[in-house]
Amino acid sequence: MEKKLVPCLVVSILIFCSVTHVRSDASDHRYKVGEDVPLYVNKVGPFHNPSETYRYFDLPFCSSGPTKDKKEALGEVLNGDRLVTAPYKLDFLNDKDSEIACRKRLTKEQVAQFREVVSKDYYFQMYYDDLPIWGFLGKVDKERKNDPSEYKYYLFKHLHFTIFYNKDRVIEITAQSDLNNVVDLTEDKEVDVEFMYSVKWKETEIPFEKRMEKYSQSSSLPHHLEIHWFSIINSCVTVLLLTGFLATILMRVLKNDFVKYAHDEESAEDQEETGWKYIHGDVFRYPKYKSLLAAAVGSGTQLFTLTIFIFVLALVGVFYPYNRGALFTALVVIYALTAGIAGYTAASFFCQLEGTNWVRNLLLTGALFCGPLFLTFCFLNTVAIAYSATAALPFGTIVVIFLIWALVTTPLLVLGGIAGKNSKAEFQAPVRTTKYPREIPQLPWYRKTLPQMAMAGFLPFSAIYIELYYIFASVWGHRIYTIYSILFIVFIILLIVTAFITVALTYFQLAAEDHEWWWRSFLCGGSTGLFIYGYCLYYYYARSDMSGFMQTSFFFGYMACVCYGFFLMLGSIGFRASLFFVRHIYRSIKCE
């Protein structure tokens, strides 16, 4: 079954890639002179709060005619995009100078509303032929004014569009607000506004295929690349030194152990065993809460598979800048398709541990990650609805996600679980387990679970923390991240360090004659997720200007889900590495 799942997944991913590329090429329009090129207004929101966005016409802007919503794909809706036809008409190759888009008389309440959003640095986002445009709604004049009550508030009312074209295609667009053509919003009084725009067309030699490259150049500038490569080299050197140091010690100690135990077998048979060989009859004793452990390993394996597929799509160029919603669509689709891997891994491992109620284990596997994510989503979606923000998912989108979960995720999870139960794989323990467990000796405080988790999580986190800043600035800011090759290298380093540090700590635990290594190895491997969440606190308060209940809830809520996913994924990596190591060392010695 597992062998059949992989080709199906690959085919599904290839279909997703082709659909994504078809969608990205949908804007490959050739226009004639005077033809209407679609311009859509998307959303507005505080510049420093990326999750808090609202519909453009939630603000009292005027329209030149009846507005029409643009149909959105699943990922675009998840991304908070709500495109509506704009009041500006930008016909192909038609220059315009100070054209009136629409007129509106703003009431006192509407003036106060505009003044509030200008004070919060609201920006707007539009799309012209699928090219993004940004700009601020207004400005605050604070020059030579110490008292905030003396500040002047202005709304921009004139936009200058500069559009570059190559033959019959749109290549680039910029929008600049006329800083001198403004509306005074300082006082609460009615005011008449004429929203105006100008359009200037310019020819360029840039081919259509390269029109999105300028959006990825910011993260590919020499300065940023230098910092990225410096961070990778720094991480590699640190990791190589520390892992090399630990490997040398571990190999030398293991070699001495093997020689010692071989010598003991040849000399005095009645000599008392010590160290990790002494607990050979307990090291493969099945752990407590084995159903939960199997479910955690299954969910972690699914998330690891999901991450690998996302990296494959990123490296082949699917997630280019402003391919709206492609990443969210990929996450939903691939997570649904990889549910069979979680079911197979959890059920087969649970049955290897002589578990009986595999159906309950399968339910636990399905709910272990989705459950907390669903509860978090319910709370945050309620907050978004209360704020009337675009982050609030429409009922239809929620129904679509539920149907994907019910018709794809759940059946694949069950099929994988049935295949895992029927795989008849046995747990490969190289030594026999005794009937009664040995008593674990009293251990110093630094050998307890929490100090060990702190040691295990710090080294992998130190290898990735520099790159974390760029990821956070992209996800929770307005920077663009496109250097996926560097991110993939950092991810591989993270996996290697997590596996190695967990193996080393497992050996030291066994050498101290503590045979309850199963859960410890999982918790130590996943502890990097706790460090990443600690970094979230630092980033929010020290590196960002985010504020407000909604933005704070979204940041800490969804980052908790992401870090929990890292905990499960890296925990399963650490556990698998430790299980391989423990089997290897006990297979290498003779135990009576």
Side-chain angles (χ1 to χ4, degrees):
M1 175 67 181
E2 192 176 33
K3 291 181 179 178
K4 292 180 180 179
L5 280 173
V6 176
C8 292
L9 278 172
V10 172
V11 171
S12 303
I13 301 305
L14 289 174
I15 292 172
F16 170 77
C17 287
S18 62
V19 170
T20 307
H21 279 297
V22 166
R23 174 156 186 82
S24 67
D25 292 338
S27 62
D28 185 7
H29 292 135
R30 298 175 182 273
Y31 298 101
K32 297 177 182 178
V33 176
E35 185 178 349
D36 181 30
V37 184
L39 172 67
Y40 295 98
V41 289
N42 186 14
K43 50 193 176 184
V44 293
F47 183 75
H48 299 294
N49 289 354
S51 300
E52 187 184 346
T53 55
Y54 305 93
R55 289 175 174 269
Y56 183 83
F57 287 109
D58 283 350
L59 294 178
F61 286 109
C62 62
S63 176
S64 56
T67 59
K68 183 180 178 183
D69 290 344
K70 184 178 186 295
K71 282 192 175 182
E72 304 287 350
L74 173 63
E76 294 170 339
V77 177
L78 293 175
N79 194 39
D81 290 335
R82 304 290 187 272
L83 272 66
V84 183
T85 50
Y88 310 107
K89 288 187 67 67
L90 278 57
D91 300 329
F92 192 67
L93 296 185
N94 275 7
D95 289 349
K96 294 183 179 181
D97 185 29
S98 300
E99 187 91 3
I100 296 175
C102 58
R103 296 182 175 90
K104 182 159 188 175
R105 185 173 185 82
L106 298 180
T107 64
K108 293 179 181 179
E109 293 76 16
Q110 291 172 338
V111 168
Q113 186 179 1
F114 268 129
R115 183 171 63 246
E116 183 182 0
V117 300
V118 167
S119 67
K120 292 181 179 179
D121 285 333
Y122 267 53
Y123 72 98
F124 66 81
Q125 186 185 46
M126 302 181 184
Y127 279 94
Y128 183 68
D129 195 43
D130 274 358
L131 292 171
I133 319 167
W134 307 267
F136 285 98
L137 297 183
K139 66 177 181 177
V140 182
D141 183 10
K142 302 179 182 180
E143 192 173 351
R144 295 190 297 274
K145 298 179 181 66
N146 297 323
D147 188 354
S149 62
E150 298 178 353
Y151 292 170
K152 295 285 188 180
Y153 300 88
Y154 299 103
L155 175 70
F156 299 137
K157 65 174 184 177
H158 194 149
L159 275 178
H160 293 279
F161 294 99
T162 304
I163 310 172
F164 296 87
Y165 69 97
N166 187 345
K167 296 178 182 177
D168 52 2
R169 287 169 162 177
V170 177
I171 304 299
E172 185 181 340
I173 182 170
T174 60
Q176 290 182 323
S177 300
D178 189 340
L179 302 180
N180 299 316
N181 205 337
V182 295
V183 181
D184 193 341
L185 304 171
T186 308
E187 298 179 11
D188 285 337
K189 62 179 182 180
E190 291 187 357
V191 59
D192 292 315
V193 184
E194 286 186 342
F195 289 96
M196 308 173 71
Y197 65 106
S198 302
V199 185
K200 182 70 175 177
W201 287 85
K202 295 182 179 180
E203 193 168 7
T204 180
E205 297 297 323
I206 299 174
F208 179 83
E209 294 74 21
K210 294 184 177 181
R211 72 174 190 160
M212 300 303 291
E213 285 188 359
K214 80 162 196 170
Y215 300 106
S216 60
Q217 285 173 355
S218 59
S219 59
S220 303
L221 292 173
H223 175 66
H224 290 290
L225 280 175
E226 186 179 335
I227 294 175
H228 273 79
W229 282 114
F230 175 77
S231 68
I232 284 191
I233 294 170
N234 178 54
S235 299
C236 287
V237 170
T238 305
V239 167
L240 285 174
L241 285 175
L242 291 174
T243 52
F245 180 66
L246 284 172
T248 304
I249 294 176
L250 201 57
M251 294 304 292
R252 182 163 298 199
V253 171
L254 275 174
K255 186 178 179 182
N256 292 338
D257 287 348
F258 289 142
V259 171
K260 175 176 174 290
Y261 294 148
H263 182 263
D264 289 346
E265 289 166 5
E266 294 173 1
S267 56
E269 291 187 4
D270 58 344
Q271 186 175 355
E272 186 179 357
E273 295 176 345
T274 57
W276 54 269
K277 187 184 176 185
Y278 175 67
I279 56 170
H280 63 80
D282 297 282
V283 75
F284 291 106
R285 189 179 304 282
Y286 299 146
K288 297 176 183 178
Y289 313 112
K290 55 188 177 185
S291 179
L292 180 59
L293 179 63
V297 171
S299 297
T301 305
Q302 179 188 9
L303 292 171
F304 173 71
T305 309
L306 167 68
T307 307
I308 293 297
F309 274 122
I310 290 294
F311 269 117
V312 170
L313 294 178
L315 292 172
V316 299
V318 172
F319 305 132
Y320 60 83
Y322 300 104
N323 185 8
R324 290 177 289 114
L327 178 59
F328 288 103
T329 305
L331 287 171
V332 172
V333 171
I334 299 174
Y335 183 82
L337 294 173
T338 52
I341 292 176
Y344 180 88
T345 305
S348 62
F349 186 58
F350 182 62
C351 292
Q352 287 177 34
L353 300 181
E354 299 177 3
T356 52
N357 196 342
W358 67 275
V359 176
R360 187 176 66 180
N361 172 253
L362 211 56
L363 293 173
L364 184 60
T365 305
L368 195 61
F369 182 72
C370 283
L373 181 63
F374 174 73
L375 293 176
T376 304
F377 163 75
C378 288
F379 170 72
L380 294 179
N381 204 58
T382 304
V383 172
I385 291 172
Y387 273 72
S388 300
T390 60
L393 294 190
F395 179 73
T397 304
I398 297 175
V399 170
V400 169
I401 293 176
F402 175 78
L403 290 175
I404 291 173
W405 178 81
L407 301 179
V408 180
T409 305
T410 304
L412 285 176
L413 181 73
V414 173
L415 288 174
I418 294 172
K421 181 183 74 76
N422 296 332
S423 63
K424 299 289 190 287
E426 294 184 0
F427 185 77
Q428 299 171 357
V431 291
R432 289 196 302 272
T433 301
T434 56
K435 190 172 183 180
Y436 301 104
R438 294 180 186 269
E439 185 179 351
I440 298 173
Q442 189 68 29
L443 298 175
W445 66 269
Y446 56 84
R447 287 190 180 274
K448 302 290 185 181
T449 303
L450 288 178
Q452 294 284 293
M453 287 175 65
M455 285 188 277
F458 178 74
L459 183 58
F461 175 76
S462 66
I464 66 169
Y465 83 96
I466 295 178
E467 200 67 20
L468 274 181
Y469 170 75
Y470 292 98
I471 301 298
F472 275 57
S474 174
V475 176
W476 300 105
H478 300 279
R479 294 193 181 183
I480 301 171
Y481 192 97
T482 56
I483 316 176
Y484 301 112
S485 54
I486 291 181
L487 188 61
F488 185 65
I489 295 172
V490 172
F491 179 69
I492 296 299
I493 292 173
L494 175 65
L495 297 181
I496 294 171
V497 178
T498 300
F500 196 89
I501 196 70
T502 309
V503 165
L505 289 174
T506 300
Y507 169 76
F508 294 133
Q509 181 183 357
L510 297 178
E513 299 176 8
D514 180 359
H515 55 78
E516 295 181 346
W517 62 273
W518 301 73
W519 272 110
R520 178 78 66 83
S521 64
F522 188 94
L523 293 173
C524 286
S527 60
T528 306
L530 301 178
F531 276 82
I532 296 175
Y533 200 67
Y535 180 82
C536 292
L537 292 167
Y538 164 75
Y539 182 84
Y540 181 87
Y541 290 106
R543 305 301 293 269
S544 79
D545 295 312
M546 290 184 277
S547 61
F549 178 73
M550 178 183 169
Q551 182 61 44
T552 304
S553 301
F554 267 69
F555 179 77
F556 287 109
Y558 280 128
M559 284 312 301
C561 293
V562 170
C563 294
Y564 176 55
F566 266 93
F567 176 81
L568 292 174
M569 179 179 71
L570 297 177
S572 63
I573 296 293
F575 173 75
R576 290 288 189 187
S578 295
L579 179 61
F580 174 81
F581 170 77
V582 172
R583 279 176 174 161
H584 174 73
I585 62 173
Y586 282 95
R587 194 179 287 121
S588 303
I589 60 169
K590 181 181 178 183
C591 296
E592 298 297 335

Coordinates of all heavy atoms in Angstrom, one line a residue, residues 1-13 298 302 305 309 331-348 358 362-363 365-366 370 402-421:
M1 N 0.8 -1.2 0.0 CA 0.0 0.0 0.0 C 0.9 1.3 0.0 O 0.6 2.2 -0.7 CB -0.9 0.0 1.2 CG -1.7 1.2 1.4 SD -3.0 1.4 0.2 CE -3.7 2.9 0.6
E2 N 1.9 1.2 0.9 CA 2.8 2.4 0.9 C 3.5 2.7 -0.4 O 3.6 3.8 -0.8 CB 3.8 2.2 2.0 CG 4.6 3.5 2.4 CD 5.5 3.3 3.5 OE1 6.1 2.2 3.6 OE2 5.7 4.3 4.3
K3 N 3.8 1.6 -1.1 CA 4.5 1.8 -2.4 C 3.5 2.3 -3.4 O 3.9 3.0 -4.4 CB 5.0 0.4 -2.9 CG 6.2 -0.1 -2.0 CD 6.8 -1.4 -2.6 CE 8.0 -1.9 -1.7 NZ 8.5 -3.2 -2.2
K4 N 2.2 2.0 -3.3 CA 1.2 2.5 -4.2 C 0.9 4.0 -3.9 O 0.5 4.7 -4.8 CB -0.1 1.7 -4.1 CG 0.1 0.2 -4.6 CD -1.2 -0.5 -4.5 CE -1.1 -1.9 -5.0 NZ -2.3 -2.7 -4.9
L5 N 1.0 4.3 -2.6 CA 0.6 5.7 -2.2 C 1.6 6.7 -2.9 O 1.1 7.8 -3.3 CB 0.7 5.9 -0.7 CG -0.5 5.4 0.1 CD1 -0.2 5.4 1.6 CD2 -1.7 6.2 -0.2
V6 N 2.9 6.4 -2.9 CA 3.8 7.3 -3.4 C 3.6 7.7 -4.9 O 3.6 8.9 -5.2 CB 5.3 6.8 -3.2 CG1 6.3 7.7 -3.8 CG2 5.5 6.6 -1.7
P7 N 3.4 6.8 -5.8 CA 3.1 7.2 -7.2 C 1.9 8.0 -7.3 O 1.8 9.0 -8.1 CB 3.0 5.8 -8.0 CG 3.7 4.9 -7.1 CD 3.5 5.3 -5.7
C8 N 0.8 7.7 -6.5 CA -0.4 8.5 -6.6 C -0.1 9.9 -6.1 O -0.7 10.9 -6.7 CB -1.5 7.9 -5.7 SG -2.1 6.3 -6.3
L9 N 0.7 10.1 -5.1 CA 1.0 11.4 -4.6 C 1.8 12.2 -5.7 O 1.5 13.4 -5.9 CB 1.9 11.3 -3.3 CG 1.1 11.1 -2.0 CD1 2.1 10.8 -0.9 CD2 0.3 12.3 -1.7
V10 N 2.8 11.5 -6.3 CA 3.6 12.2 -7.3 C 2.7 12.7 -8.5 O 2.8 13.8 -8.9 CB 4.7 11.2 -7.8 CG1 5.4 11.9 -9.0 CG2 5.7 10.9 -6.7
V11 N 1.8 11.8 -8.9 CA 0.8 12.2 -10.0 C 0.0 13.4 -9.6 O -0.2 14.3 -10.3 CB -0.1 11.0 -10.4 CG1 -1.2 11.4 -11.3 CG2 0.8 9.9 -11.0
S12 N -0.5 13.3 -8.3 CA -1.4 14.4 -7.8 C -0.6 15.7 -7.8 O -1.1 16.8 -8.1 CB -1.9 14.1 -6.4 OG -2.6 12.9 -6.4
I13 N 0.7 15.7 -7.4 CA 1.5 16.9 -7.3 C 1.8 17.4 -8.7 O 1.7 18.6 -8.9 CB 2.9 16.6 -6.6 CG1 2.6 16.0 -5.2 CG2 3.7 17.8 -6.5 CD1 1.8 16.9 -4.3
G298 N 3.2 9.2 13.3 CA 2.5 9.2 12.0 C 2.2 10.6 11.5 O 2.4 11.0 10.3
Q302 N 3.8 12.6 8.2 CA 3.0 13.3 7.2 C 3.4 14.7 7.0 O 3.6 15.2 5.8 CB 1.5 13.3 7.6 CG 0.6 14.0 6.6 CD -0.8 14.1 7.1 OE1 -1.1 13.9 8.3 NE2 -1.7 14.6 6.2
T305 N 6.6 14.8 5.0 CA 6.4 14.5 3.6 C 5.8 15.8 2.9 O 6.2 16.2 1.8 CB 5.4 13.4 3.4 OG1 5.8 12.3 4.1 CG2 5.2 13.0 1.9
F309 N 7.5 18.0 -0.3 CA 6.7 18.3 -1.5 C 6.7 19.8 -1.7 O 6.8 20.3 -2.9 CB 5.3 17.7 -1.5 CG 5.3 16.3 -1.9 CD1 4.8 15.3 -1.1 CD2 5.8 15.9 -3.2 CE1 4.8 13.9 -1.5 CE2 5.7 14.6 -3.6 CZ 5.2 13.6 -2.8
L331 N -0.6 23.8 0.2 CA -0.6 23.2 1.6 C -1.9 22.4 1.8 O -1.9 21.3 2.4 CB -0.6 24.4 2.6 CG 0.8 25.1 2.7 CD1 0.7 26.3 3.6 CD2 1.8 24.1 3.3
V332 N -3.1 23.0 1.4 CA -4.3 22.3 1.6 C -4.4 21.0 0.8 O -4.7 19.9 1.4 CB -5.5 23.2 1.3 CG1 -6.8 22.4 1.3 CG2 -5.6 24.4 2.2
V333 N -4.0 21.0 -0.5 CA -4.2 19.9 -1.3 C -3.2 18.8 -0.9 O -3.5 17.6 -0.8 CB -3.9 20.3 -2.8 CG1 -3.8 19.0 -3.7 CG2 -5.1 21.2 -3.3
I334 N -1.9 19.1 -0.7 CA -0.9 18.1 -0.4 C -1.1 17.5 1.0 O -0.9 16.3 1.2 CB 0.5 18.7 -0.5 CG1 0.8 19.2 -1.9 CG2 1.6 17.7 -0.2 CD1 2.1 19.9 -2.1
Y335 N -1.6 18.4 2.0 CA -1.9 17.8 3.3 C -3.0 16.8 3.2 O -2.9 15.7 3.8 CB -2.3 18.9 4.3 CG -2.5 18.4 5.7 CD1 -1.5 18.2 6.5 CD2 -3.8 18.1 6.1 CE1 -1.7 17.7 7.8 CE2 -4.1 17.6 7.3 CZ -3.0 17.4 8.2 OH -3.2 16.9 9.5
A336 N -4.0 17.1 2.4 CA -5.1 16.1 2.2 C -4.6 14.8 1.5 O -5.0 13.7 1.9 CB -6.2 16.7 1.3
L337 N -3.7 14.9 0.5 CA -3.2 13.8 -0.2 C -2.2 12.9 0.6 O -2.1 11.7 0.3 CB -2.6 14.2 -1.5 CG -3.6 14.8 -2.5 CD1 -2.8 15.4 -3.7 CD2 -4.6 13.8 -3.0
T338 N -1.6 13.5 1.6 CA -0.6 12.8 2.4 C -1.2 12.1 3.6 O -0.4 11.6 4.4 CB 0.6 13.7 2.8 OG1 0.1 14.9 3.4 CG2 1.4 14.1 1.6
A339 N -2.5 12.2 3.8 CA -3.1 11.7 5.0 C -2.9 10.1 5.1 O -2.8 9.6 6.1 CB -4.6 12.0 5.0
G340 N -2.8 9.5 3.9 CA -2.6 8.1 3.9 C -1.3 7.7 4.5 O -1.1 6.6 5.1
I341 N -0.3 8.5 4.3 CA 1.1 8.3 4.9 C 1.0 8.3 6.4 O 1.5 7.4 7.1 CB 2.1 9.3 4.4 CG1 2.3 9.1 2.9 CG2 3.4 9.2 5.2 CD1 3.2 10.1 2.3
A342 N 0.2 9.3 7.0 CA 0.0 9.3 8.4 C -0.7 8.1 8.9 O -0.3 7.5 10.0 CB -0.8 10.6 8.8
G343 N -1.8 7.7 8.2 CA -2.5 6.5 8.7 C -1.7 5.2 8.6 O -1.7 4.4 9.6
Y344 N -0.9 5.1 7.5 CA -0.1 3.9 7.4 C 1.0 3.8 8.4 O 1.2 2.8 9.1 CB 0.5 3.8 6.0 CG 1.4 2.6 5.8 CD1 0.9 1.4 5.3 CD2 2.8 2.6 6.0 CE1 1.6 0.3 5.1 CE2 3.6 1.5 5.9 CZ 3.0 0.4 5.4 OH 3.8 -0.8 5.2
T345 N 1.7 4.9 8.6 CA 2.8 5.0 9.6 C 2.3 4.7 11.0 O 2.9 3.9 11.7 CB 3.5 6.3 9.5 OG1 3.9 6.6 8.2 CG2 4.8 6.3 10.4
A346 N 1.3 5.4 11.4 CA 0.8 5.3 12.8 C 0.2 3.9 13.0 O 0.6 3.3 14.1 CB -0.3 6.3 13.0
A347 N -0.6 3.3 12.1 CA -1.2 2.0 12.3 C -0.2 0.9 12.3 O -0.2 0.0 13.2 CB -2.3 1.8 11.3
S348 N 0.8 1.0 11.4 CA 1.8 -0.1 11.3 C 2.7 -0.1 12.6 O 3.0 -1.1 13.2 CB 2.6 0.0 10.1 OG 3.3 1.2 10.0
W358 N -6.7 -0.3 17.0 CA -6.1 0.5 16.0 C -7.0 1.5 15.4 O -6.6 2.6 14.9 CB -5.6 -0.4 14.8 CG -6.6 -1.1 14.1 CD1 -7.3 -2.3 14.4 CD2 -7.2 -0.6 12.9 NE1 -8.2 -2.6 13.4 CE2 -8.2 -1.6 12.5 CE3 -7.0 0.5 12.0 CZ2 -9.0 -1.5 11.4 CZ3 -7.8 0.6 10.9 CH2 -8.8 -0.4 10.6
L362 N -6.2 5.4 15.0 CA -6.3 6.2 13.7 C -7.1 7.5 13.9 O -6.7 8.5 13.3 CB -7.1 5.3 12.7 CG -6.7 5.4 11.2 CD1 -5.3 5.2 11.0 CD2 -7.6 4.5 10.4
L363 N -8.1 7.4 14.8 CA -8.8 8.7 15.1 C -7.9 9.7 15.8 O -8.0 10.9 15.5 CB -10.0 8.4 16.0 CG -11.2 7.5 15.4 CD1 -12.2 7.2 16.4 CD2 -11.8 8.3 14.3
T365 N -4.7 9.9 15.4 CA -3.7 10.3 14.4 C -4.4 11.5 13.6 O -3.7 12.5 13.3 CB -3.3 9.2 13.5 OG1 -2.8 8.1 14.2 CG2 -2.3 9.7 12.5
G366 N -5.6 11.3 13.2 CA -6.3 12.3 12.4 C -6.6 13.6 13.1 O -6.6 14.6 12.5
C370 N -4.8 18.2 13.2 CA -6.0 18.9 12.7 C -6.8 19.5 13.9 O -7.5 20.5 13.7 CB -6.8 18.0 11.9 SG -6.2 17.7 10.2
F402 N -14.0 21.7 4.4 CA -14.6 20.5 5.1 C -14.8 19.4 4.2 O -14.6 18.2 4.5 CB -16.0 21.0 5.7 CG -16.7 19.8 6.4 CD1 -16.3 19.4 7.6 CD2 -17.8 19.2 5.7 CE1 -17.0 18.3 8.2 CE2 -18.4 18.1 6.3 CZ -18.0 17.7 7.6
L403 N -15.3 19.6 2.9 CA -15.5 18.5 2.0 C -14.2 17.9 1.6 O -14.1 16.6 1.4 CB -16.2 19.1 0.7 CG -17.7 19.5 0.9 CD1 -18.2 20.1 -0.4 CD2 -18.5 18.3 1.3
I404 N -13.1 18.7 1.4 CA -11.8 18.1 1.2 C -11.4 17.2 2.3 O -10.9 16.1 2.1 CB -10.7 19.2 0.9 CG1 -11.0 20.0 -0.4 CG2 -9.3 18.7 0.9 CD1 -10.1 21.2 -0.6
W405 N -11.6 17.7 3.5 CA -11.2 16.8 4.7 C -12.1 15.6 4.8 O -11.6 14.5 5.1 CB -11.4 17.7 6.0 CG -11.1 16.9 7.2 CD1 -9.9 16.7 7.8 CD2 -12.1 16.3 8.1 NE1 -10.0 16.0 8.9 CE2 -11.4 15.7 9.2 CE3 -13.5 16.2 8.1 CZ2 -12.0 15.0 10.2 CZ3 -14.1 15.5 9.1 CH2 -13.3 14.9 10.1
A406 N -13.4 15.7 4.5 CA -14.3 14.6 4.6 C -14.2 13.6 3.5 O -14.2 12.3 3.7 CB -15.7 15.0 4.7
L407 N -13.9 14.1 2.2 CA -13.9 13.2 1.1 C -12.6 12.8 0.6 O -12.5 11.8 -0.2 CB -14.7 13.9 -0.1 CG -16.1 14.3 0.2 CD1 -16.7 15.0 -1.0 CD2 -17.0 13.1 0.6
V408 N -11.5 13.5 1.1 CA -10.2 13.1 0.6 C -9.3 12.7 1.8 O -8.8 11.6 1.9 CB -9.5 14.3 -0.1 CG1 -8.1 13.9 -0.6 CG2 -10.3 14.7 -1.3
T409 N -9.2 13.6 2.8 CA -8.3 13.3 3.9 C -8.7 12.1 4.7 O -7.9 11.2 4.9 CB -8.2 14.5 4.8 OG1 -7.8 15.7 4.1 CG2 -7.2 14.3 5.9
T410 N -9.9 12.1 5.1 CA -10.4 10.9 6.0 C -10.4 9.6 5.3 O -9.8 8.6 5.9 CB -11.8 11.3 6.5 OG1 -11.8 12.5 7.2 CG2 -12.3 10.2 7.5
P411 N -10.9 9.5 4.0 CA -10.7 8.1 3.4 C -9.3 7.7 3.2 O -9.0 6.5 3.4 CB -11.4 8.4 2.0 CG -12.4 9.5 2.2 CD -11.7 10.4 3.2
L412 N -8.4 8.6 2.8 CA -7.0 8.2 2.7 C -6.4 7.8 4.0 O -5.6 6.9 4.1 CB -6.2 9.4 2.0 CG -6.4 9.6 0.5 CD1 -5.6 10.9 0.1 CD2 -5.9 8.4 -0.3
L413 N -6.8 8.5 5.1 CA -6.3 8.2 6.4 C -6.7 6.8 6.8 O -5.9 5.9 7.3 CB -6.8 9.2 7.4 CG -6.3 9.0 8.9 CD1 -4.9 9.3 9.0 CD2 -7.2 9.8 9.8
V414 N -8.0 6.4 6.5 CA -8.5 5.1 6.8 C -7.8 4.0 6.0 O -7.4 3.0 6.5 CB -10.0 5.1 6.6 CG1 -10.6 3.7 6.8 CG2 -10.7 6.0 7.6
L415 N -7.7 4.3 4.7 CA -7.0 3.3 3.8 C -5.6 3.1 4.2 O -5.1 1.9 4.2 CB -7.1 3.9 2.3 CG -8.5 3.8 1.6 CD1 -8.4 4.5 0.3 CD2 -8.9 2.4 1.5
G416 N -4.9 4.2 4.5 CA -3.5 4.0 5.0 C -3.5 3.2 6.3 O -2.6 2.4 6.5
G417 N -4.4 3.5 7.2 CA -4.5 2.7 8.5 C -4.7 1.3 8.2 O -4.1 0.4 8.9
I418 N -5.7 0.9 7.3 CA -6.0 -0.5 7.0 C -4.7 -1.2 6.5 O -4.4 -2.3 6.8 CB -7.2 -0.6 6.1 CG1 -8.4 -0.1 6.8 CG2 -7.3 -2.0 5.6 CD1 -9.6 0.0 5.9
A419 N -4.1 -0.5 5.5 CA -2.8 -1.0 4.9 C -1.8 -1.2 6.0 O -1.0 -2.2 6.0 CB -2.3 -0.1 3.8
G420 N -1.6 -0.3 6.9 CA -0.6 -0.4 8.0 C -0.9 -1.6 8.9 O 0.0 -2.3 9.3
K421 N -2.2 -1.7 9.2 CA -2.6 -2.8 10.1 C -2.4 -4.2 9.5 O -2.0 -5.2 10.1 CB -4.1 -2.7 10.5 CG -4.6 -3.8 11.4 CD -6.1 -3.7 11.6 CE -6.9 -4.1 10.5 NZ -7.0 -5.6 10.3

